Amino acid sequence: MNQDNKQTYETLDELVARSKLKKSWWYSRTRETGPGSVPRIRAGKYLLFIPSEVDKWLQDQQEIIEK
């Protein structure tokens, strides 16, 4: 959480820019459900992401691939 004790969210476009992964890759991951799916919040037709949770999820995915 940031200093104001408020949660920070990213849009899909911000996530794409930060992660350098294609938007289509993220869309395909957001269609997956259940344990191990990318953490996201659906606000109507919009997707929001909590950067720290997405970073942890990406790290977990890397560890799975390396095994």
Side-chain angles (χ1 to χ4, degrees):
M1 285 195 209
N2 66 18
Q3 296 172 347
D4 298 328
N5 219 17
K6 295 180 183 176
Q7 189 65 56
T8 303
Y9 301 98
E10 284 183 323
T11 64
L12 182 59
D13 288 334
E14 292 169 328
L15 181 59
V16 167
R18 185 171 67 85
S19 69
K20 307 290 192 253
L21 295 167
K22 292 183 178 185
K23 189 181 274 192
S24 60
W25 188 87
W26 283 109
Y27 271 128
S28 68
R29 295 311 175 276
T30 60
R31 286 192 291 273
E32 297 172 359
T33 59
S37 62
V38 65
R40 77 254 182 212
I41 299 167
R42 185 169 296 279
K45 66 178 184 177
Y46 302 101
L47 289 170
L48 297 173
F49 302 88
I50 299 171
S52 60
E53 289 184 14
V54 173
D55 291 345
K56 175 154 181 9
W57 180 82
L58 285 170
Q59 182 65 37
D60 292 346
Q61 299 307 301
Q62 183 177 354
E63 291 172 6
I64 290 169
I65 291 169
E66 291 175 353
K67 287 183 179 180

